[in-house]
Amino acid sequence: MAERSNLYFYYKKDDELEKKLQPLFELARENGFDIVDHADKANIIISVGGDGMFLQAVRKTGFRQDCLYTGITRAEGEAGLYCDFNLERFDEMVHSMMHEELEVRRFPVIETNVNNNTSFYCLNEVSIRSSLIKTITMDVYIDDLHFETFQGDGLIVSTPTGSTAYNKSINGAVVDPKLPCFQVSELASLNNNRYRTLGSSFILGAERTLALQITQDGNDHPIIGLDNEALPIRNVHDVTVKLSDKLIKTIKLKNNSYWERVKRTFL
Ligand code: NAP
Ligand code: MN
């Protein structure tokens, strides 16, 4: 990994963590890596924290395509779907980076457009939820097909790696990130003689576009979540979601496949 030697660490600054990181910085420098003070100068961006911190690291650095991301969890035994390394055993990380015991994996990203305006990227999911006690109503289109009219709490559209997060809590399937696709799951849909939804999650292929038209009935200020960040847009009428051309490249330890991580986290 000789040409990839600028490391940027993304974490919430606190004295204790700062102290814990010093030996890691030292060791990295001794082994020919530079620690840079801005993400723009890095070719490897390392989050320190949990999966939530990894999501922030990717978002705040703009879903960079020209660098690798990886995550370090803080406490021994703390697992993470996005984090291959552990702070207690950081020497392992430096060692494997030196000896190229790493592979690169690529995670699909979804692209969300709100009100035919700006696009946003998500590594976990975009969530559209009623912000009121009342249900939200939206027409759901798959490409040009009017598929269903949803009335309920909201919809979660997740990437494969996001499938173990919010999506899993609402009984969505866990999806292999080797599949370029995205999944739509319901939050408490009403099902009666007026409103009928599929009722199960569905998975759309890479060529599909999901379009949501939110009924302008007063409950048209849903909370839109992009991974762990809320989108500050008030009135929402149109949301489209598709698979992005972007991929997040992460460094992965050998023998630490997606399904090993799923097993380690949940079983
Ligand atoms: P949080 O409320 O602390 O996250 C909830 C948990 O989800 C944390 O334990 C987090 O792990 C974990 N997580 C995040 N991404 C994951 C993934 N891809 N697979 C498995 N677990 C994952 O908030 P956060 O840490 O900022 O994470 C944001 C995510 O929380 C959102 O993207 C959404 O998926 C999820 N969320 C879930 C629910 C729910 O299940 N009811 C509701 C809202 C949001 P760490 O502790 O390692 O950070
Ligand atoms: Mn968290």
Side-chain angles (χ1 to χ4, degrees), residues 242-266:
K242 59 180 187 182
L243 213 61
S244 159
D245 297 334
K246 290 187 193 286
L247 289 166
I248 289 300
K249 293 193 268 302
T250 69
I251 47 187
K252 144 182 195 297
L253 277 171
K254 283 187 180 141
N255 307 317
N256 193 22
S257 72
Y258 181 69
W259 293 102
E260 276 162 310
R261 294 137 77 88
V262 171
K263 181 177 173 188
R264 194 176 69 210
T265 307
F266 296 105

Side-chain angles (χ1 to χ4, degrees), residues 50-52 55 81-82 124-125 161-162 164-166 169 227-228 266:
D51 285 333
L55 293 170
L81 268 296
Y82 291 115
N124 256 2
E125 77 281 292
T161 53
T164 49
Y166 205 161
S169 304
D227 301 334
N228 48 12
F266 296 105

Side-chain angles (χ1 to χ4, degrees), residues 125-129 155-157 166 187 223-227:
E125 77 281 292
V126 53
S127 52
I128 301 109
R129 288 181 295 164
L155 290 171
I156 306 297
V157 186
Y166 205 161
L187 286 170
I223 300 171
I224 303 222
L226 309 167
D227 301 334

